Amino acid sequence: PEFYNVLITRAEPFLTQHILNSVVSEDYKTNSDHIYSVLHQLLVFSNELFGDPASFNDYFQKDLFPEVDYGMASNILAQAWSALGWPGIIIITIFIQVTAFAGNLTLLSKGLVLKSIAAPILCYWLFYAHRNDLAYTINLGKRIFAVALFCFLIVVCCKYLARILRLGKIIIR
């Protein structure tokens, strides 16, 4: 029985929900630094320029769960609630829904390059957003976009190089 208790109580879905329940039931409030750190994440090399952003976990874990001796996941809804209350919940919920809708439209488009970039970003955003804070989720999307952009540039350069080599063969003959 203790094994199953630990298995369930330490399972990530239960922990992330417990974070939200605790933040709301304790009426846990924070300043908005961890929300505004999202703006830094929109810049390239933001961690190198501004340092690591303030994480929501840096606030709530030591205050609400001091007995937990491992790093907990986060909860984007709890983050919005603690910093902005109901307006934060409404804003983040609308943002997630608009992202899902726009992502669905993107995946229905005909552009393969756009689809190949959007699909992994959307998977991370829509799955991991509920277990991470907002800044980290944006950072993950930024990293995936950078890798996709790098791959795209390699393909463009290879096509350009192949074209030059073909033209060279034509001129030599």
Side-chain angles (χ1 to χ4, degrees), residues 2 11 22 28 35 43 58 60 83 88 92 106 110 129 131 143 149 158 163 167-168 170-171:
E2 182 61 27
S22 297
Y28 184 72
I35 298 288
L43 300 172
D58 296 337
F60 81 82
I92 202 67
T106 302
K110 294 183 191 240
R131 67 167 299 278
R143 290 175 184 173
L149 182 63
C158 287
R163 198 165 114 208
L167 286 174
I170 294 170
I171 294 173

Side-chain angles (χ1 to χ4, degrees), residues 35-112:
I35 298 288
Y36 297 129
S37 67
V38 171
L39 298 175
H40 294 153
Q41 291 304 317
L42 297 175
L43 300 172
V44 179
F45 302 115
S46 58
N47 291 0
E48 288 75 15
L49 294 172
F50 303 107
D52 288 332
S55 167
F56 180 55
N57 185 286
D58 296 337
Y59 293 92
F60 81 82
Q61 185 168 344
K62 68 178 188 290
D63 293 338
L64 296 177
F65 305 102
E67 72 282 354
V68 176
D69 59 352
Y70 53 89
M72 295 177 72
S74 193
N75 185 303
I76 199 168
L77 296 172
Q79 180 182 13
W81 175 266
S82 72
L84 304 170
W86 278 111
I89 294 286
I90 292 168
I91 290 167
I92 202 67
T93 302
I94 289 172
F95 186 70
I96 290 171
Q97 297 307 313
V98 167
T99 302
F101 181 73
N104 189 37
L105 291 178
T106 302
L107 295 177
L108 292 173
S109 71
K110 294 183 191 240
L112 292 177

